[in-house]
Amino acid sequence: MTIQWFPGHMAKARRQVTEKLKLIDIVYELVDARIPQSSRNPMIDEIVTNKPRVVLLNKADKADKAITNEWLRYYEEKGIAAIAIDAQSGKGLNQILTVSKELLKEKFDRMRAKGIKNPRAIRAMIVGIPNVGKSTLINRLAHKNIAKTGDRPGVTQAQQWIKVGKELELLDTPGILWPKFEDELVGYKLATTGAIKDTILNLQDVAVYALRFLTASYPNRLQERYDLPHIPEEIVDLFDEIGKRRGCLLSGGIIDYDKTAELVLREIRGDRLGVLTFEKPYEEKVEAE
Ligand code: GDP
């Protein structure tokens, strides 16, 4: 599902996240490990001001491991807690509680100092753009431990908490933030990884971005996948070579560029070119807004 973001939607989303912030101790910001910058909404820094935050680099199974490690080092240098996870298989999830406890130690120590012998569980919420894996993560952590708060008349919206062991409780509905794709490159990265629907951007433009990226960053994999003796300089020639080899043809043997674009994107998303990361920390374009 892709949400079309209009100013009204954005304001509502922001309000919903802000409301829920009052209920929790810590925020888990879910991003896509393949595009950690482009899959976050920079507004989150304004929205989440007074709660500690952990960045969860999700879908790490689909990302280039060496670059994921670079990202983890980057966050560490910036003093931001970050963990690489795979919400689908559950990899890395046990670190979440450990890191949360460290970040909230002072707060809970203060509670104990006030005489609270058994402080309550840590309360957390997940925020992120659509398709980043929020529901998958919640389901994975839940193990059916959904603690129903029940309907309370008069309460506008009863929040439900999911118990994750004894020490952590998660709001059952995540905070949804809008992707920020005013920047063309951000849009292409979101589309290439499948975070936004293919109807939003021109598919051929997205494939042009993806093929240029592969040519620059993973040339060997591109050559290997499509049996290319060399990578043509002109992008149209590259489309021709791939289309020809894969039988993406219109009548008369003309290359079908739409079909070629679709094929390339499908193969990238299906990890047929191996695991890929589309942006590195400290890249000039990454920092550009
Ligand atoms: P939400 O919109 O943020 O709630 O995203 P979903 O939880 O619906 O996930 C979007 C898609 O990403 C689904 O097809 C999930 O199966 C997939 N997904 C989520 N987490 C992971 C992960 O860690 N690894 C992989 N490979 N896929 C994931």
Side-chain angles (χ1 to χ4, degrees), residues 113-153:
K114 281 183 193 157
I116 301 168
K117 284 213 182 77
N118 294 308
R120 57 175 175 73
I122 291 172
R123 291 183 185 147
M125 80 182 284
I126 291 170
V127 300
I129 65 168
N131 280 318
V132 77
K134 296 180 295 301
S135 318
T136 307
L137 178 60
I138 290 173
N139 288 334
R140 186 80 209 185
L141 289 171
H143 298 304
K144 299 195 188 77
N145 272 328
I146 299 175
K148 290 214 162 110
T149 41
D151 288 334
R152 275 174 278 165

Side-chain angles (χ1 to χ4, degrees), residues 58-59 61-62 85-88 129-136:
N58 191 36
K59 309 194 188 183
D61 56 310
K62 294 173 85 68
I85 65 164
D86 168 1
Q88 215 162 45
I129 65 168
N131 280 318
V132 77
K134 296 180 295 301
S135 318
T136 307

Side-chain angles (χ1 to χ4, degrees), residues 22-122:
K22 294 178 193 157
L23 306 169
I24 51 109
D25 302 302
I26 190 164
V27 171
Y28 301 143
E29 182 191 359
L30 209 52
V31 299
D32 188 318
R34 297 168 294 174
I35 45 168
Q37 254 336 320
S38 297
S39 60
R40 75 188 293 261
N41 185 311
M43 287 268 286
I44 194 172
D45 296 329
E46 288 169 40
I47 299 171
V48 182
T49 47
N50 57 354
K51 301 279 165 158
R53 200 189 324 164
V54 184
V55 175
L56 303 177
L57 295 152
N58 191 36
K59 309 194 188 183
D61 56 310
K62 294 173 85 68
D64 190 319
K65 300 216 166 23
I67 306 178
T68 300
N69 288 333
E70 281 181 39
W71 277 106
L72 290 173
R73 272 198 302 277
Y74 164 87
Y75 289 118
E76 199 181 343
E77 278 163 21
K78 296 217 153 195
I80 299 167
I83 306 168
I85 65 164
D86 168 1
Q88 215 162 45
S89 77
K91 217 170 160 191
L93 301 195
N94 52 3
Q95 286 180 66
I96 296 176
L97 179 64
T98 316
V99 171
S100 304
K101 280 167 98 170
E102 278 166 25
L103 290 175
L104 289 165
K105 190 177 178 308
E106 270 183 39
K107 181 173 181 176
F108 279 74
D109 279 352
R110 274 201 304 274
M111 283 191 211
R112 282 188 198 89
K114 281 183 193 157
I116 301 168
K117 284 213 182 77
N118 294 308
R120 57 175 175 73
I122 291 172

Side-chain angles (χ1 to χ4, degrees), residues 63 116 128 155 163 204 220:
I116 301 168
V155 179
K163 284 189 191 298
Q204 285 186 28
N220 297 342

